[in-house]
Amino acid sequence: MKLILLGPPAAGKGTQAECIRERYSIAHISTGAMLRAEIAAETPLGLLAKSIIDEGNLVPDEIINEMVKRRIAQDDCKNGFLLDGYPRTIEQANALAEICGIDAVIDINVDSEVIISRVASRRICPSCGHSQSVSGEAEEDCAKCGGELIRRADDAPERMRHRLDVYREHTEPLINYYIERELLVPIDGARTIPEVSEQIFAFIDEMIGENDVE
Ligand code: AMP
């Protein structure tokens, strides 16, 4: 089973990807998380990517395409994978199509206003990469590993607005791209996390049942 999770930044792709990975045991490939790991390890790619990411811009297609190509070739992707945050441009989608076919593109729809308010409470754990929402009343630690939570530099309100513009210009055209290829599955992402998961699971269960997709 090869899936893509599409949607604006902070639509809940990472959270839903974790739920899908747990239920169907497929590899979760988050290009954002891979880049953040490169930054933390201070690799040449990380050093190049840091300022681009902090500004809310996109890392060049050739770099991302190569990174994903290598990741998909790894053993844990043999039974399928879930791409979270890739492709983000038509050029990336074309590069992916040359590597492999995709079974479905799950498009999580959320209004910009909901996204802006969600991001205000979003925090990430630099130790394990887990992302969670905080209430703001009391200090909270990472629910997964107990690490200290921080706000992503690219989640600052002005950066977030820019990321939404970048999404509209470069990534939103992928909706039509995948509609034309009859792969798009629209999901209402404004609902609660379990409700969004339920919609996604219902689609995947039906797809697996109908096509016996592996
Ligand atoms: P994410 O964690 O998916 O929100 O990604 C964080 C940031 O990493 C994005 O705002 C981009 O700067 C960069 N990034 C992640 N995936 C891609 C991609 N497929 N193409 C270009 N840049 C990306």
Side-chain angles (χ1 to χ4, degrees):
M1 179 163 70
K2 299 184 185 87
L3 300 174
I4 292 173
L5 266 183
L6 196 63
K13 297 190 295 295
T15 303
Q16 293 302 330
E18 278 305 301
C19 301
I20 296 169
R21 185 187 61 78
E22 271 170 31
R23 184 170 158 119
Y24 301 98
S25 303
I26 57 172
H28 169 199
I29 304 177
S30 158
T31 44
M34 289 169 80
L35 291 166
R36 282 187 287 279
E38 297 280 344
I39 293 172
E42 296 183 354
T43 64
L45 169 56
L47 294 175
L48 173 92
K50 184 171 180 350
S51 57
I52 300 175
I53 294 179
D54 285 352
E55 298 275 312
N57 290 318
L58 294 181
V59 173
D61 288 333
E62 318 80 70
I63 294 176
I64 293 285
N65 288 338
E66 189 54 34
M67 191 176 86
V68 171
K69 194 175 172 182
R70 284 207 207 133
R71 180 65 188 86
I72 286 177
Q74 288 175 8
D75 269 0
D76 65 331
C77 295
K78 286 211 172 95
N79 291 331
F81 53 80
L82 172 66
L83 289 165
D84 157 14
Y86 180 91
R88 260 179 157 99
T89 64
I90 298 279
E91 202 173 322
Q92 291 179 16
N94 286 332
L96 177 63
E98 283 183 16
I99 307 173
C100 63
I102 289 292
D103 297 305
V105 177
I106 296 168
D107 179 37
I108 306 183
N109 304 305
V110 188
D111 282 352
S112 302
E113 284 140 51
V114 176
I115 287 173
I116 300 275
S117 80
R118 272 190 193 172
V119 153
S121 61
R122 178 159 86 164
R123 300 292 182 273
I124 190 168
C125 172
S127 308
C128 72
H130 177 65
S131 175
Q132 73 190 57
S133 175
V134 295
S135 63
E137 282 153 24
E139 281 266 305
E140 284 179 42
D141 292 328
C142 173
K144 275 213 166 152
C145 76
E148 198 179 323
L149 297 172
I150 59 160
R151 179 196 273 255
R152 279 168 50 170
D154 58 346
D155 273 355
E158 67 286 2
R159 294 273 179 273
M160 194 59 211
R161 272 188 284 275
H162 177 62
R163 286 167 69 200
L164 283 169
D165 289 342
V166 169
Y167 166 79
R168 279 188 210 103
E169 185 180 345
H170 297 282
T171 311
E172 212 169 47
L174 288 174
I175 295 178
N176 273 333
Y177 178 98
Y178 286 118
I179 286 176
E180 283 165 12
R181 285 156 183 78
E182 297 183 2
L183 289 172
L184 200 89
V185 181
I187 296 287
D188 177 4
R191 303 200 196 165
T192 64
I193 293 171
E195 284 169 348
V196 175
S197 301
E198 216 173 281
Q199 297 174 70
I200 297 174
F201 294 167
F203 162 74
I204 297 177
D205 288 348
E206 199 185 324
M207 181 178 80
I208 294 173
E210 274 177 10
N211 304 334
D212 207 20
V213 176
E214 283 189 6

